[in-house]
């Protein structure tokens, strides 16, 4: 009996310590997974919101190019009026080397954006549209992304 | 007169009682942790699958012509009621008939009919009507001149 004295307490303390540690770790992991899922959901929502905004911009350009097409008698006149119209838009920029190219971007998050570039095109038998989408790309600003690592003993 | 002596057994009994009290206290805390973990995991799984299902429906919608035709072709058991499309999912998030459904996706138009930019709200709902996730998705139909205009 003398040998058994204290053993139950030691066994209980050890087993309880293990179970408490495992349950706490499980809770922390589950919370991290939930936060990650919420981030993914938010990113998905932001992407579709940015996409809608881009298509709203494209719709304005497309409608105006359609009007220009119907009011122009020649291909040259169409491009001239189209380029002049692109210059009036304030939500993007024209490519200096090619005035028929128009680019704009919509923000996805603090360091990500959706970049879109269009080219005015003249409707012909092979391509019956007023524009071509040259670029539809997510880009990340790496300068703004936080890639620092907190180390034990560091000042930060 | 006999003198009463405490035996070692009573001290051992006291230790066991104390152990049981500590054990009970810690078990309550651990159970709370495990229940929270289970609840959070269920919510995470639900949100993750809701995002996936909504994205799948959004992709099918954008691949179509802005109407529900492409979705009714792709999702066999979907029901179009009052211009709102319902797509049903079972407990494993596979498409199923409405009788077996635990979740459903409601697709409802939010844009005007005369616009070329068609938008729909895609909502993932549980069987008790709680919205888990929703996204607004758009499909733009580009303007095209008629064939006669192009050939002329």
């Amino acid at each position: 009996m003398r040998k058994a004295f204290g053993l139950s307490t030691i066994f209980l303390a050890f087993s309880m310590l293990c179970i408490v540690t495992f349950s706490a770790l499980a809770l922390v992991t589950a919370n991290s997974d939930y936060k990650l899922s919420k981030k993914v959901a938010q990113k998905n929502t932001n992407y579709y919101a940015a996409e809608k905004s881009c298509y709203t911009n494209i719709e304005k350009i497309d409608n105006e190019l359609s009007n220009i097409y119907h009011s122009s008698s020649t291909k040259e006149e169409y491009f001239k009026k189209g380029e002049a119209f692109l210059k009036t838009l304030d939500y993007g920029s024209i490519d200096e080397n090619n005035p028929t190219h128009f680019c704009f971007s919509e923000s996805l998050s603090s360091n990500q954006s959706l970049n879109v570039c269009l080219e005015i095109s003249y409707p012909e038998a092979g391509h019956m549209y007023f524009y071509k989408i040259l670029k539809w790309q997510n880009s990340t600003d790496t300068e703004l992304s936080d890639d620092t690592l907190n180390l034990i003993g560091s000042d930060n | 007169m006999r003198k009463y002596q405490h035996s070692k057994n009573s001290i051992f009994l006291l230790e066991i009682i104390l152990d049981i009290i500590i054990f009970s206290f810690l078990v309550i805390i651990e159970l709370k942790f495990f229940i929270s973990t289970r609840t959070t995991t269920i919510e995470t799984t639900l949100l993750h699958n809701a995002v996936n299902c909504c994205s799948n429906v959004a992709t099918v919608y954008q691949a179509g012509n802005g109407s529900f035709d492409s979705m009714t072709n792709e999702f066999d058991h979907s029901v179009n009621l009052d211009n709102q499309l319902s797509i049903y999912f079972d407990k494993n998030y596979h498409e199923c008939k409405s009788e077996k459904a635990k979740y459903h996706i409601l697709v409802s138009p939010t844009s005007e009919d005369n616009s070329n930019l068609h938008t729909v709200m895609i909502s993932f709902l549980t069987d008790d009507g709680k919205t888990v996730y929703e996204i607004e998705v758009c499909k733009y139909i580009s303007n095209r001149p008629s064939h006669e205009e192009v050939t002329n």
Side-chain angles (χ1 to χ4, degrees):
Chain A
M1 184 56 67
R2 185 171 291 173
K3 281 182 182 175
F5 179 71
L7 270 180
S8 61
T9 309
I10 292 167
F11 177 73
L12 179 90
F14 179 71
S15 55
M16 282 293 121
L17 196 69
C18 288
I19 298 171
V20 167
T21 309
F22 292 148
S23 61
L25 285 173
L27 186 61
V28 169
T29 309
N31 273 330
S32 301
D33 284 348
Y34 185 60
K35 279 180 190 170
L36 181 66
S37 284
K38 278 176 88 173
K39 265 188 182 177
V40 171
Q42 189 57 51
K43 194 181 171 187
N44 206 39
T45 308
N46 288 349
Y47 177 79
Y48 281 108
E51 194 182 66
K52 189 191 171 192
S53 190
C54 287
Y55 274 121
T56 307
N57 291 341
I58 289 172
E59 186 185 27
K60 287 176 196 165
I61 295 171
D62 194 26
N63 286 341
E64 188 57 35
L65 288 175
S66 176
N67 293 337
I68 291 170
Y69 176 79
H70 290 108
S71 64
S72 303
S73 52
T74 60
K75 192 174 176 179
E76 288 71 31
E77 189 185 351
Y78 169 79
F79 277 109
K80 200 175 173 184
K81 283 182 178 176
E83 286 167 24
F85 165 66
L86 291 182
K87 282 178 189 168
T88 63
L89 299 174
D90 57 353
Y91 51 80
S93 59
I94 299 167
D95 189 347
E96 289 176 3
N97 300 325
N98 196 335
T100 59
H101 290 192
F102 182 73
C103 296
F104 60 92
S105 66
E106 286 295 331
S107 173
L108 288 171
S109 65
S110 57
N111 64 335
Q112 282 191 314
S113 59
L114 179 62
N115 298 326
V116 179
C117 279
L118 305 177
E119 180 188 22
I120 302 176
S121 66
Y122 192 75
E124 286 168 327
H127 181 79
M128 295 278 281
Y129 302 101
F130 299 109
Y131 67 95
K132 278 182 194 168
I133 294 176
L134 299 176
K135 188 165 94 171
W136 190 279
Q137 189 180 51
N138 280 0
S139 68
T140 306
D141 190 351
T142 49
E143 285 180 10
L144 289 174
S145 64
D146 183 16
D147 57 354
T148 56
L149 186 66
N150 290 327
L151 298 172
I152 296 169
S154 65
D155 292 335
N156 296 326
Chain B
M1 192 178 169
R2 288 181 65 186
K3 197 175 177 182
Y4 181 79
Q5 270 192 318
H6 286 286
S7 70
K8 294 279 182 187
N9 287 348
S10 62
I11 299 171
F12 186 61
L13 184 69
L14 192 71
E15 186 192 354
I16 286 180
I17 291 168
L18 203 68
D19 285 351
I20 289 169
I21 292 168
I22 296 168
F23 177 80
S24 312
F25 177 71
L26 289 174
V27 157
I28 292 167
I29 295 171
E30 285 154 13
L31 275 178
K32 205 177 164 187
F33 276 12
F34 281 125
I35 291 166
S36 298
T37 305
R38 176 80 181 137
T39 312
T40 312
T41 306
I42 290 168
E43 281 180 22
T44 306
T45 310
L46 183 62
L47 181 62
H48 176 75
N49 283 295
V51 172
N52 273 351
C53 290
C54 286
S55 297
N56 288 345
V57 172
T59 306
V60 173
Y61 174 72
Q62 290 185 322
N65 59 358
S67 69
F68 289 158
D69 298 342
S70 58
M71 286 191 283
T72 48
N73 290 336
E74 185 67 29
F75 301 103
D76 298 332
H77 305 298
S78 57
V79 178
N80 189 349
L81 199 67
D82 292 336
N83 206 25
Q84 285 194 325
L85 191 78
S86 293
I87 305 163
Y88 299 96
F89 294 89
D90 63 13
K91 61 180 180 179
N92 296 319
Y93 305 95
H94 296 138
E95 202 216 343
C96 67
K97 289 181 180 175
S98 60
E99 300 87 52
K100 293 179 184 173
K102 196 165 187 293
Y103 311 103
H104 76 279
I105 279 183
L106 192 68
V107 186
S108 40
T110 53
S111 58
E112 294 166 10
D113 289 338
N114 56 0
S115 172
N116 278 0
L117 187 64
H118 301 268
T119 54
V120 288
M121 184 63 83
I122 300 174
S123 311
F124 188 94
L125 302 134
T126 55
D127 53 357
D128 57 354
K130 186 188 160 198
T131 305
V132 179
Y133 181 68
E134 60 182 6
I135 41 172
E136 192 175 26
V137 179
C138 63
K139 168 74 184 174
Y140 180 63
I141 310 291
S142 301
N143 291 317
R144 295 177 70 167
S146 63
H147 274 282
E148 291 78 31
E149 284 176 316
V150 173
T151 49
N152 290 337

